[in-house]
Amino acid sequence: MTVFPLRTALSLTALALMTACGGTGVPVTTSPLPQVPSNSRLSLAEIKDIADVIGPVYSSVSETPKQQVPVTGGASYLGYVQGDMAVPGRRTDVSGLMEMGVDFGANRVGGTVGNFVTSAGAPIDGVLTLSRGRLDRNLNTSYVTILSDVDGTLRTGAEETVRVDGSMTNGGFKGSNGQFIGAPMQGNIIVNNGTTSEAGTFALTGILARN
């Protein structure tokens, strides 16, 4: 089973604390948090529990004004994703976990999305990587925009793989000083079962809280 770099302390208690605590400076890599054993995969119900904690608070706060987004230091964020992958005649709803590191001084972003599970509870192995991520402080007059490529290969069965090629073009901060991140991601997929390939699309939305 795929190792997902999200610490086992990703519990309801930790997430509740994350809504009130500020982050500390961290270097941005594609895996800024410690790796955990492969048997630490969370179930669909556990991901839903995380969503039930972060989601309502995220929805209740406003977008972070540009002048309130830090310009020095860094922070790490943890959270969940929900969305779907679709090819003609077939759509799979998925949930998962996401982590992101932000270097506010260098305007750089990195992270991973993984621990995917279908709405039926079936695990999907593999990790999507945020690459060439950056903060654009000029694209919007009021808010800082988070941009990134989103790529990777997922395995949905013994022979089936899903190649993901997408992007985040309108991510952003919420809260008085960027305590939360909304991370909409979308793009193309190629599903290969060993004999045939199908083209499709994916759409995911990540909701993260500062760790």
Side-chain angles (χ1 to χ4, degrees):
M1 188 172 289
T2 301
V3 175
F4 180 68
L6 198 63
R7 65 182 74 191
T8 53
L10 187 70
S11 63
L12 292 180
T13 301
L15 286 167
L17 292 173
M18 283 159 51
T19 64
C21 298
T24 58
V26 294
V28 173
T29 70
T30 57
S31 181
L33 300 179
Q35 288 195 338
V36 298
S38 58
N39 61 1
S40 294
R41 170 183 283 277
L42 299 189
S43 67
L44 180 62
E46 289 170 318
I47 296 172
K48 184 179 183 301
D49 287 341
I50 293 170
D52 288 344
V53 171
I54 299 180
V57 183
Y58 172 86
S59 298
S60 71
V61 297
S62 301
E63 291 180 286
T64 308
K66 181 183 292 188
Q67 64 270 23
Q68 296 301 114
V69 176
V71 295
T72 61
S76 59
Y77 293 78
L78 300 172
Y80 68 96
V81 298
Q82 293 177 333
D84 64 78
M85 299 183 294
V87 294
R90 178 166 55 124
R91 185 183 110 168
T92 302
D93 293 324
V94 298
S95 299
L97 301 177
M98 183 172 184
E99 54 84 14
M100 186 183 296
V102 179
D103 184 330
F104 293 107
N107 292 319
R108 295 186 299 126
V109 174
T112 54
V113 191
N115 199 121
F116 285 106
V117 59
T118 71
S119 58
I124 299 175
D125 288 337
V127 171
L128 305 183
T129 300
L130 305 186
S131 59
R132 304 199 322 171
R134 63 189 178 91
L135 304 183
D136 191 319
R137 297 179 184 267
N138 300 313
L139 186 62
N140 187 291
T141 58
S142 301
Y143 310 109
V144 174
T145 305
I146 304 174
L147 307 169
S148 180
D149 292 341
V150 182
D151 305 290
T153 299
L154 306 177
R155 182 173 292 278
T156 58
E159 299 294 334
E160 186 175 81
T161 61
V162 180
R163 174 60 188 164
V164 175
D165 180 12
S167 62
M168 183 195 323
T169 59
N170 195 33
F173 296 96
K174 292 188 75 175
S176 59
N177 65 347
Q179 298 98 320
F180 298 90
I181 287 177
M185 297 164 280
Q186 59 283 315
N188 300 313
I189 61 174
I190 298 294
V191 179
N192 190 311
N193 63 12
T195 56
T196 62
S197 294
E198 290 183 285
T201 60
F202 81 96
L204 299 171
T205 298
I207 304 297
L208 301 94
R210 188 179 294 169
N211 183 25

